[in-house]
Amino acid sequence: MEPRFDLLTNDLGTKIVKRTYHVNRLIEQSSLPRTTHELVSLRASQINGCGFCVDIHIKEAAAAGETPDRTGLVAAWRHSTVFSEAERAALALAEEGTRLADAHQGVSDETWALVRKHYDDDQTVALVALIAMINASNRFAVMLNNLGGSYRPGMFDGIAD
């Protein structure tokens, strides 16, 4: 299977990619822990079946110091002991925010209360924006048939130039 289209070969696509990259950089610059960022991105990508983004976030998590045990258990986080209460709240928000079409009420009040218990205003904004952006990125990658397996940490660092 080959990728269907490279957004960077089109002027409009390039502008969209650069703006998306800048939003993601703002989220990365927040006080949200980088490992939480990667775990949340990994979980949403798993739900969306995006091999390209799963590849990215497993490798970026490792680069951020995450262990293979924890990244391997993200898909079954409810049935594991390796995540903190704060991380569990972020993973629940990622799942509920990703599965909006499957959930009759969207994000539950219980999940929202847990997020607010563990994350300040800026971190909450970062989490909500992160979940929205990773879902958008998953959709780009799946629709364009970008496949996982060839990502190297930092390979997109120069994309905004």
Side-chain angles (χ1 to χ4, degrees):
M1 295 190 334
E2 294 292 320
R4 294 182 174 133
F5 191 84
D6 182 353
L7 290 175
L8 296 175
T9 63
N10 173 276
D11 288 340
L12 179 59
T14 299
K15 289 175 186 175
I16 291 168
V17 168
K18 286 183 178 186
R19 282 165 178 77
T20 302
Y21 178 82
H22 285 294
V23 172
N24 283 311
R25 292 292 295 150
L26 286 171
I27 296 166
E28 288 173 6
Q29 293 167 6
S30 76
S31 61
L32 183 68
R34 179 152 179 236
T35 54
T36 301
H37 177 126
E38 298 303 337
L39 295 173
V40 163
S41 296
L42 175 57
R43 185 64 191 126
S45 299
Q46 290 170 334
I47 292 166
N48 288 322
C50 182
F52 185 73
C53 293
V54 166
D55 186 31
I56 289 171
H57 295 292
I58 284 175
K59 291 172 181 171
E60 287 293 341
E66 225 14 288
T67 66
D69 288 343
R70 284 172 42 94
T71 55
L73 285 168
V74 166
W77 65 270
R78 282 186 175 84
H79 299 277
S80 67
T81 60
V82 299
F83 301 105
S84 70
E85 189 175 311
E87 291 167 333
R88 296 170 80 72
L91 289 165
L93 184 65
E95 286 192 0
E96 292 177 23
T98 298
R99 292 185 164 141
L100 291 175
D102 300 336
H104 68 281
Q105 60 184 332
V107 173
S108 69
D109 291 338
E110 177 185 12
T111 294
W112 189 254
L114 286 171
V115 167
R116 295 304 291 156
K117 176 182 174 183
H118 295 285
Y119 297 100
D120 66 25
D121 289 351
D122 285 349
Q123 291 169 325
T124 300
V125 169
L127 266 174
V128 169
L130 172 63
I131 294 163
M133 295 304 294
I134 191 58
N135 275 279
S137 295
N138 292 162
R139 281 151 179 78
F140 275 122
V142 170
M143 285 189 283
L144 297 175
N145 204 35
N146 293 331
L147 304 175
S150 63
Y151 181 76
R152 294 174 322 281
M155 73 184 261
F156 297 131
D157 287 351
I159 205 161
D161 298 338

